[in-house]
Amino acid sequence: MKRYTLIIGLVCLSVSMSLKAENGYDLWLRYAPISDANLEQNYQKILGTVVVPGYSETQQIIRKELKRAITSMLKTPVTVKTTHTIEATLLIAKLNELHDFSNIPALASVEALGNEGYQLIQPSNGPLLITANSDIGLLYGTFHLLRHMQQQLSLTELNLIQKPRLKLRLLNHWDNLDRTVERGYAGFSIWDWHKLPDYADPRYTDYARANASIGINGTVVTNVNANALVLSTQYLEKLTTLANILRPYGIKVYLTARFSAPVEQGGLKTADPLNTEVQQWWQYKVREIYTLIPDFGGFLVKANSEGQPGPQDYHRTHAQGANLLADAVAPYDGVVIWRAFVYSHEVPDDRHKQANNEFLPLDGKFRDNVLVQVKNGAIDFQPREPFHPLFGSMKQTPLMMEFQITQEYTGCATHLFYQAPLYKETLDSDTWCKGEGSTVASVIDGSLYKNKLTGIAGVSNIGNDFNWTGHPFAQANWYAYGRLAWDYQLSAEEIAKEWLKMTFTTEPNFVESMVPMMMDSREVLVNYMTPIGLHHIMARNHHYGPGPWVTGGRPDWTSVYYHRADKQGLGFDRTATGSNAVNQYFPEVARVFGQRELCPDKYLLWFHHVGWNETLASGRTLWDELCYRYYSGADAVRQMQNQWDAQADFVDTERFTHVAELLKIQAKEARWWRDACILHFQQFSGQPIPEGYDQPAHSLEYYMNIEHRFVPGIKNE
Ligand code: GCW
């Protein structure tokens, strides 16, 4: 038996050693050689003579990307030309340049493609066409073709039209000017401000390529906890270099605006939005920005939240603050994205309710170029949250979704956690704001309330680690975010499949076992961290590891505020007998969340204080269910390890080992979460851990005394 295992082991080792070493830098743009000989020949034929007319920067990029991809994927090099010839087999040209083809009946109209859309079409005779109204549409279409090829899918009978469902598809970097990244777990910031504007790290171009390949069209390069220095002329010049690199990839730059900048940068005595000098300062600053960067996207603002300055410092409203900046950028078509993530420990009400209380009365008071950016849930990027009640409630203000791609509360990039199921869960949630089917997605895409501005933001997980995101599987979250921002109707599974095929291999055995592992990873993590609607029970400040005992200081930054464990039971009563946060949802939703019998178990302790011996949907008591979830979550990580170990022959040794070692950490930490939480809650339930489960390895005191210093992502002392 041992010998047999050894032989298998050696075979696996030799296969994976024969794969080219990879460090993950290439992300999903690896352009691996096409392994299927027939398909290779077919691609070779279709890509025999590629024609991309035009000399714009974007058209040159298209040619370069195609050459790079084709040289790497196919055996025989192909020609990429700039002038149309009769031999062309693939033509990438704008609709208004397709004179020879205008009689193709299936050719899309200008309206159907919009600014960023594209069409791929194979006419019965003539070349395969990629067409669009704009250069960017052509680039997106090219990346579509390359995505298709990387998955080794057939190109015959291709006929599709693609258009993004949301206008602004942004990354939010929480990157500081000193290159630390708030809640960043993949090294330092990729923006090397010190060497800008003169030295442009080649990484910026690869960043642009990766983002364009998934349709991201904007990047807020600085932290929402903003530094006004970025608005200085010196830093704006640095930003100009970045903007120039990103522009031909269809990516606009945005900045976070510190509300007190007129004082800090302008030397004024006030930043009051109604003060004329303040207004003039912003106008002057904005003019300076647009002179350097004519397509500057606009400002993202965190105000009067967690110590940031804001209009309320001058007894003005969030709308007055937002409008100050909106008026300044309006002449240049800029936008202001104002965050709804506001709450204060000085307000006695449930934190869950505060953003609604603050923003609903302001509906209709924002300028047309303002979007309000709302986190997916009402607390803060927890492993699971019900959707934020603001979605659907604000009828006259475009709401932008904010997801967190970086894993602040979900393992700080040591845990394999595929987030597309989380994003989809929120987007598909029914707000009932205009009757059944009023999903969160239909609120943010503007279809329900006919908003002209629409958008989505993802808090970036990118750093200067060689593989960009720390965990090799965290790349999937960047990818999935972009794909869903483009088309939220894609399924999390489809996206996982695409990503796996491009990032690792198209081998069906690999893909078929990895898709379910990725898909399950969300529920697995919820189970070992915050099952049954528990939330915000992590360690203080750095948020790494469990901390259900955290108490003292600002109540809304403790764990006991959220789980409310006592001798009777567990959970936050947010029904009419408690904080009544349920009332902020539309009646149909409030009815379901608010009634103990109707509330799904996944949100139970979010909305209800449940007795330890009450029976849940599974038939188990709350205490038994809690144990069951924590134990099954931790066990599932061990299974993930086995699933991964079985993939050794499909993955190069470097990335294989990297993932295997991180899974080891995850397995250890899942047990840590399980044991710490179970022991903590056991003090209240007074019940034994059901038979059949291992006992925790240590005492509660042991877990409470674990101290982690220098966790990345925060200001460490
Ligand atoms: O998730 C919390 C984080 C803060 C962050 C804040 C926010 C940028 O703990 O680090 O600050 O949210 O979203 O503004």
Side-chain angles (χ1 to χ4, degrees), residues 34 46 48 65 108-109 115 141 166 214 322 346 609 624:
I34 303 297
I46 294 179
E65 193 69 29
S109 64
N115 284 343
L166 298 167
I214 49 177
E346 278 155 13
H609 191 72
D624 286 356

Side-chain angles (χ1 to χ4, degrees), residues 582-649:
V582 286
N583 201 36
Q584 293 186 330
Y585 290 96
F586 282 80
E588 291 79 359
V589 180
R591 197 173 64 88
V592 173
F593 288 166
Q595 285 186 51
R596 164 74 181 81
E597 308 71 44
L598 297 180
C599 183
D601 277 0
K602 62 180 181 185
Y603 300 135
L604 195 59
L605 303 177
W606 189 284
F607 291 113
H608 297 268
H609 191 72
V610 179
W612 291 112
N613 292 320
E614 278 184 47
T615 314
L616 270 56
S618 62
R620 285 183 277 267
T621 64
L622 172 62
W623 170 248
D624 286 356
E625 182 71 14
L626 198 69
C627 293
Y628 171 76
R629 296 279 174 162
Y630 273 113
Y631 277 85
S632 58
D635 288 349
V637 182
R638 265 179 259 163
Q639 282 171 32
M640 285 164 73
Q641 287 182 286
N642 294 337
Q643 278 169 288
W644 181 253
D645 286 347
Q647 311 308 321
D649 21 356

Side-chain angles (χ1 to χ4, degrees), residues 174 182-183 185 223-225 302 305-306 308 339 341 343 351 375 379-382 402 404 408-409 459 538 541 543 557 713-714:
W174 285 357
E182 182 150 352
R183 312 303 177 182
Y185 311 102
N223 190 355
V224 287
N225 289 332
K302 170 175 178 178
S305 167
E306 299 184 332
Q308 293 303 301
R339 292 177 92 224
F341 181 68
Y343 66 102
R351 172 173 168 190
K375 288 190 181 181
I379 302 298
D380 196 3
F381 299 139
Q382 297 300 294
E402 179 174 326
Q404 191 178 45
E408 172 180 2
Y409 295 103
V459 179
M538 65 289 154
N541 194 20
H543 300 166
W557 284 354
I714 52 161

Side-chain angles (χ1 to χ4, degrees), residues 361-376:
L362 300 177
D363 197 14
K365 302 214 161 99
F366 292 95
R367 297 281 191 268
D368 286 349
N369 58 339
V370 176
L371 295 110
V372 170
Q373 182 165 300
V374 183
K375 288 190 181 181
N376 58 294

